[in-house]
Amino acid sequence: MIYKNPNSTRTNIFRKIYDSEDFKNILKNKNQEFPFLIDIEVTNHCNLKCIFCGQQTMKREKGFIDETIFKKVIDECEIHKTPIRLIRWGEPFLHEKIIDFCEYAKNKNIPIHITTNGLIIDEEQMKKIVELEVDSIVFSFQGATKEQYELMRNNKFHDKLKENILKLVELRGEKLKPYIHISTTITNETEEQIKSFKNNWGNIVDSVDIGKTNLSFLSANQIKSFELINKLDWLKKQETIKKAYRPCTEVYQKLSVNWDVKVTCCCGDFDNFLIVGDINNSTLKEIWDNSESLKAFRKLLDMKKHKSLSLCKNCYLPYDEFN
């Protein structure tokens, strides 16, 4: 469910991609020559320990993307005129070169999006984002109330997040970029709570996205903290996401580059379940066209054999319930 601020005249270039017929109908024409988008994980370190997140069980090594690798990805995206998103399994603003990365991409005329939990971005970084005309930034909330946010995010920083969002809106002023939006997922919040969240933020930022929280990726035996186990088990009783498999469009739309050069075909791949190559040995184009792993994953998902893949067996569409 997407609520657009009726007073905002800004356009989100990424929304144009998501809403395009080619993107939405990719399963009817699977001959996309290069991904619509490239996701880049500048780090898989995070400053939070959210109850529902794959960070709780992540086994792969943690680190920060090397500048030369980042530039290699951007240079290839420049050739194909492909936008990038700095998202995935860490907090982008933990990388000391995050602003340098934005500047490099913008100098190559590459549209850039950032997803952040919004807690460590500082005012100087906000000013640079506005100055560089970063195209889009999502502040990742959780729940529809302060109580739900602090429960699910496992912290007491709701007011800090609110303060940072308002500061970026203030610093942007009347400028067109960045397009500022909020994304949240809910469990069993009431209609009144959801409406209040939408009405509050929907007149401040450019848009608000609301979906359902999927708590199926983690089980109690994967988590070391007894406190988190108890919270997760309690929350799962409130889970309202519709659990139905759908043909996967992700594997035909995007590629995701991990901080350590590995490439996965799923933005939700937190622990290298769906690796299809690496950019030390191949270009993204070569992986897109020739990866046997990518071909195999596509075939299995086309046949709705989600249960044969350890990540995909718990993947459900978070926005399906809202039409």
Side-chain angles (χ1 to χ4, degrees):
M1 182 187 294
I2 301 174
Y3 299 99
K4 192 175 186 304
N5 185 338
N7 301 314
S8 174
T9 59
R10 295 176 179 86
T11 300
N12 180 11
I13 189 173
F14 287 85
R15 189 77 255 163
K16 288 184 176 180
I17 296 171
Y18 308 146
D19 291 339
S20 71
E21 292 302 313
D22 287 342
F23 189 85
K24 291 191 296 185
N25 298 316
I26 188 63
L27 295 179
K28 294 180 181 178
N29 179 16
K30 300 174 181 177
N31 297 318
Q32 181 71 13
E33 293 186 359
F34 194 75
F36 291 94
L37 300 161
I38 296 296
D39 290 347
I40 304 176
E41 177 187 78
V42 296
T43 183
N44 60 341
H45 284 284
C46 190
N47 54 314
L48 297 182
K49 294 183 178 179
C50 303
I51 291 175
F52 54 90
C53 182
Q55 282 275 352
Q56 297 294 341
T57 62
M58 188 183 291
K59 296 181 177 65
R60 64 186 172 103
E61 184 181 357
K62 293 190 176 183
F64 297 87
I65 197 169
D66 185 82
E67 186 173 9
T68 58
I69 298 299
F70 182 87
K71 289 182 177 180
K72 179 180 180 181
V73 174
I74 297 301
D75 291 347
E76 187 171 359
C77 288
E78 181 186 22
I79 294 170
H80 299 281
K81 297 180 171 59
T82 301
I84 64 163
R85 305 190 304 179
L86 304 186
I87 62 175
R88 303 228 341 106
W89 292 96
E91 169 49 49
F93 286 94
L94 286 172
H95 201 299
E96 64 180 7
K97 290 187 175 292
I98 180 65
I99 298 300
D100 294 338
F101 290 165
C102 291
E103 185 170 10
Y104 188 82
K106 292 300 294 184
N107 284 340
K108 297 281 186 174
N109 294 316
I110 300 296
I112 182 170
H113 163 85
I114 305 173
T115 293
T116 175
N117 61 45
L119 295 176
I120 61 172
I121 182 173
D122 61 41
E123 186 168 337
E124 287 306 308
Q125 290 172 324
M126 293 184 197
K127 289 177 180 177
K128 289 297 293 185
I129 285 171
V130 173
E131 177 186 326
L132 292 169
E133 297 188 338
V134 168
D135 298 87
S136 167
I137 185 167
V138 162
F139 288 94
S140 183
F141 249 88
Q142 196 61 42
T145 66
K146 179 177 180 177
E147 292 73 24
Q148 278 293 95
Y149 171 88
E150 294 186 344
L151 171 65
M152 298 292 282
R153 290 290 188 192
N154 202 25
N155 68 49
K156 299 293 184 183
F157 302 140
H158 174 275
D159 293 345
K160 176 63 175 176
L161 173 57
K162 180 178 178 180
E163 175 186 322
N164 282 346
I165 296 171
L166 294 175
K167 174 56 70 173
L168 182 58
V169 170
E170 175 192 336
L171 290 171
R172 181 189 61 180
E174 298 302 316
K175 294 180 180 177
L176 295 179
K177 295 181 180 181
Y179 188 94
I180 302 172
H181 34 164
I182 285 173
S183 176
T184 193
T185 62
I186 60 174
T187 47
N188 67 341
E189 281 90 332
T190 66
E191 287 187 19
E192 187 59 36
Q193 288 172 328
I194 296 169
K195 183 179 179 181
S196 176
F197 183 86
K198 178 202 74 171
N199 289 342
N200 177 44
W201 285 109
N203 291 311
I204 297 173
V205 298
D206 298 304
S207 68
V208 177
D209 295 8
I210 301 177
K212 295 290 186 72
T213 306
N214 181 5
L215 296 169
S216 301
F217 285 109
L218 304 182
S219 61
N221 62 6
Q222 293 176 293
I223 300 175
K224 297 177 182 179
S225 165
F226 286 109
E227 180 186 2
L228 292 187
I229 289 171
N230 292 334
K231 285 183 180 179
L232 182 63
D233 286 345
W234 177 72
L235 283 167
K236 283 188 175 183
K237 296 174 184 178
Q238 306 176 47
E239 192 175 36
T240 55
I241 193 170
K242 183 179 179 181
K243 296 185 176 181
Y245 295 133
R246 301 292 180 89
C248 180
T249 58
E250 176 86 13
V251 292
Y252 291 102
Q253 294 168 332
K254 314 169 206 160
L255 285 177
S256 297
V257 181
N258 288 348
W259 72 269
D260 62 355
V261 309
K262 291 185 176 66
V263 178
T264 173
C265 59
C266 178
C267 64
D269 184 2
F270 60 89
D271 226 359
N272 291 348
F273 296 104
L274 299 173
I275 297 298
V276 295
D278 74 71
I279 55 171
N280 266 344
N281 299 313
S282 307
T283 65
L284 291 169
K285 176 63 172 172
E286 288 168 345
I287 294 170
W288 188 249
D289 290 341
N290 304 318
S291 169
E292 292 302 321
S293 296
L294 179 56
K295 292 175 185 177
F297 293 145
R298 285 172 170 171
K299 184 175 181 179
L300 287 169
L301 291 168
D302 283 349
M303 298 167 65
K304 293 189 181 180
K305 292 189 175 181
H306 295 61
K307 290 183 179 179
S308 66
L309 298 168
S310 53
L311 180 70
C312 306
K313 68 181 180 181
N314 291 315
C315 182
Y316 310 106
L317 196 63
Y319 297 97
D320 187 55
E321 293 80 358
F322 298 107
N323 295 311

